[in-house]
Amino acid sequence: MTAVHTSVLPPYAAHLRVYEPLAAYPEPERTRWQAYVADRGPDAASATEPVAQAALEAQRGALAELLARTPRALPERESERAFVRVVDSVTYVCPWATRLRSWQALEELRDSLPVALLDTVLPVAVREEAQAAQSRWRAAHPDARPWILTSRWEVPVRWFLPFGDEERRYRPAASGEGEQPQRPAALFYLTSMAQARRRVARGYRVLREQAKGTALALGAEEVGRWLEEFHPRSLVELDYGGLVHALGPQRLVADRSAAEVAAGLAALRVGDTQGAARAYEAVIERWRQVLALRQAN
């Protein structure tokens, strides 16, 4: 992997990823990913290592491309890159699927920006061309789904449902020495697909019974449906990504959001609505403070 040296920080975004085992990919994809892994090696060689450096280089590479060209709604072709993990001698691949995710980001942008600003960032003709390309692609790939979900300025509460506090990994930043590049900070959770599905299903049952129709109940159903799209022996990862720079070292050390969400569900399960509310509010308040930075000048 080529190291990219720059002072530019990554976007303040978190990512929910699924890594499918190499054997789960049909041919000719499997052979292509095998060659990719053989050429580049893994981005993380164990469950305790983050893919932070690879993600940082991907984001900086994308920024460099944007600076060199006229802005457009999406890449001209799909990325042939992926995040690669090796856990217990098994190779797992998470394709970037940049073009597919760009379409999703375009939909979010259209829903979040005022029309005048949206027309300035991406003219109507550019958006219409992107939407037409998406329609054609969707017709040819009706079952396509992204391996990566992205959230800017917060980690949605529903994303903590698949994970336990024991799967939390925090690695502080480290200064580079000699020829070694600076190591970025990372906070991530990694679990098996079986565990993720079990926890989400258990949480959804409680929420459906005790908090039906709430945003968290609907979010739990959404996450559960997404996880069902992948191979049962996959890995699921929640990566704080660039949000580690918004939180800072002290708040990262203290952050136990997954444990608080689990505690809230446990309280709700036994009818302790006050305990559940306290746990939920602790998580919401943490991310409310980060979201407030979005409006800062």
Side-chain angles (χ1 to χ4, degrees), residues 90-251:
V90 177
T91 298
Y92 298 86
V93 176
C94 175
W96 290 0
T98 308
R99 201 162 192 253
L100 175 57
R101 291 163 57 212
S102 294
W103 276 316
Q104 294 178 318
L106 178 60
E107 293 174 359
E108 294 174 12
L109 197 67
R110 189 171 57 238
D111 294 338
S112 63
L113 287 183
V115 174
L117 181 56
L118 181 61
D119 288 346
T120 301
V121 176
L122 288 172
V124 174
V126 174
R127 300 201 306 274
E128 290 178 348
E129 180 183 351
Q131 290 165 359
Q134 181 183 21
S135 298
R136 292 191 299 270
W137 190 88
R138 275 293 185 191
H141 306 83
D143 298 325
R145 73 280 192 259
W147 287 262
I148 306 172
L149 303 181
T150 297
S151 173
R152 285 163 293 283
W153 290 103
E154 67 172 334
V155 178
V157 176
R158 62 186 180 275
W159 284 13
F160 291 106
L161 292 172
F163 306 97
D165 187 62
E166 69 278 7
E167 293 155 347
R168 177 186 181 276
R169 300 283 185 273
Y170 171 55
R171 190 186 71 175
S175 300
E177 297 181 4
E179 296 297 320
Q180 295 298 317
Q182 181 177 346
R183 187 184 73 183
L187 196 160
F188 70 98
Y189 294 80
L190 187 70
T191 192
S192 68
M193 179 61 78
Q195 278 279 45
R197 287 177 178 172
R198 189 178 302 117
R199 288 178 178 133
V200 172
R202 189 183 302 134
Y204 177 61
R205 283 196 298 271
V206 174
L207 291 166
R208 186 180 56 193
E209 294 170 2
Q210 304 292 337
K212 187 176 181 179
T214 63
L216 186 54
L218 296 174
E221 182 178 16
E222 176 186 311
V223 171
R225 289 183 184 278
W226 181 66
L227 294 177
E228 288 294 333
E229 296 287 334
F230 300 96
H231 193 278
R233 296 188 181 277
S234 300
L235 299 177
V236 185
E237 176 184 57
L238 168 54
D239 184 355
Y240 275 41
L243 286 175
V244 296
H245 302 291
L247 288 165
Q250 291 184 336
R251 291 161 80 182

